[in-house]
């Protein structure tokens, strides 16, 4: 067994009206998007980083920059799929995700997010846990300035 921990955070882009807020591959309507070169999906980025912690191949950085900046691929699902290639036959057995933000409310979308992530990772939905907190407003994320996500993956 191996365990990987990943984190990512982005601030909101209150000026971009063309971009959507995407978390775990799910669109959250009527909320400002996150700032970033890609779709800035902090949940998928945290999972990608957790997998990189197991494989020792950092996807977010040079590899994602090449995909995003040179090839125009902004969909974070592609970065996560790239990370999966380096597992070399190892299987993800569980994913735990913790999201910190004031807005949007995450709980109503958790089932949809679990389904989206399960499809990308090819694991059952009940192998994906998602929690959310405002952190009592102690950080910029809990104060509504952005979103932070942490992820722990268990790999067999």
């Amino acid at each position: 067994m191996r365990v990987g921990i990943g984190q990512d955070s982005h601030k909101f882009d209150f000026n971009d009206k063309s971009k959507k807020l995407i978390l775990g591959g799910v669109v959250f309507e009527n909320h400002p998007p996150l700032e970033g070169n890609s779709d800035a999906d902090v949940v998928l980025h945290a999972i990608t980083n957790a997998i990189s912690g197991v494989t020792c191949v950092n996807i977010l950085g040079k590899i994602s920059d090449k995909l995003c900046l040179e090839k125009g691929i902004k969909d974070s699902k592609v970065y996560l799929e790239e990370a999966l290639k380096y597992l070399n036959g190892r299987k993800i057995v569980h994913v735990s995700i913790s999201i910190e933000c004031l807005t949007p409310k995450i709980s109503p979308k958790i089932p949809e997010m679990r389904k989206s992530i399960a499809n990308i990772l090819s694991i059952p939905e009940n192998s994906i846990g998602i929690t959310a907190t405002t952190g009592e407003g102690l950080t910029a994320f809990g104060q509504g300035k952005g979103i932070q996500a942490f992820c722990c993956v268990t790999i067999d």
Side-chain angles (χ1 to χ4, degrees):
M1 290 286 229
R2 292 183 182 206
V3 175
I5 299 170
Q7 183 274 345
D8 194 46
S9 59
H10 287 268
K11 63 183 177 178
F12 286 116
D13 185 342
F14 294 103
N15 298 315
D16 190 340
K17 305 298 181 203
S18 64
K19 194 173 173 183
K20 301 265 187 197
L21 174 62
I22 302 172
L23 299 172
V26 173
V27 174
F28 282 69
E29 297 289 347
N30 303 315
H31 291 282
L34 293 169
E35 190 175 291
N37 293 326
S38 69
D39 60 17
D41 186 330
V42 294
V43 173
L44 295 188
H45 290 186
I47 298 168
T48 301
N49 280 333
I51 293 168
S52 291
V54 170
T55 64
C56 302
V57 177
N58 291 333
I59 301 301
L60 298 181
K62 287 183 182 180
I63 294 173
S64 65
D65 283 352
K66 185 172 186 172
L67 290 168
C68 181
L69 302 175
E70 293 179 25
K71 296 185 178 182
I73 299 170
K74 297 181 182 289
D75 187 345
S76 293
K77 291 177 197 165
V78 175
Y79 312 150
L80 178 51
E81 290 165 351
E82 187 68 22
L84 293 171
K85 293 176 185 177
Y86 294 93
L87 284 174
N88 297 324
R90 288 181 240 148
K91 300 290 180 196
I92 296 173
V93 294
H94 191 266
V95 176
S96 180
I97 301 159
S98 179
I99 303 166
E100 182 182 2
C101 61
L102 179 63
T103 184
K105 294 297 178 197
I106 302 298
S107 296
K109 293 273 197 172
I110 286 177
E112 192 177 348
M113 292 171 67
R114 290 175 69 210
K115 183 175 185 171
S116 170
I117 295 165
N119 285 336
I120 298 165
L121 300 179
S122 299
I123 62 173
E125 289 176 43
N126 66 1
S127 294
I128 300 164
I130 300 174
T131 61
T133 182
T134 63
E136 301 299 326
L138 294 173
T139 69
F141 309 107
Q143 295 165 6
K145 297 177 183 175
I147 302 176
Q148 173 171 239
F150 291 92
C151 177
C152 182
V153 295
T154 307
I155 298 176
D156 192 9

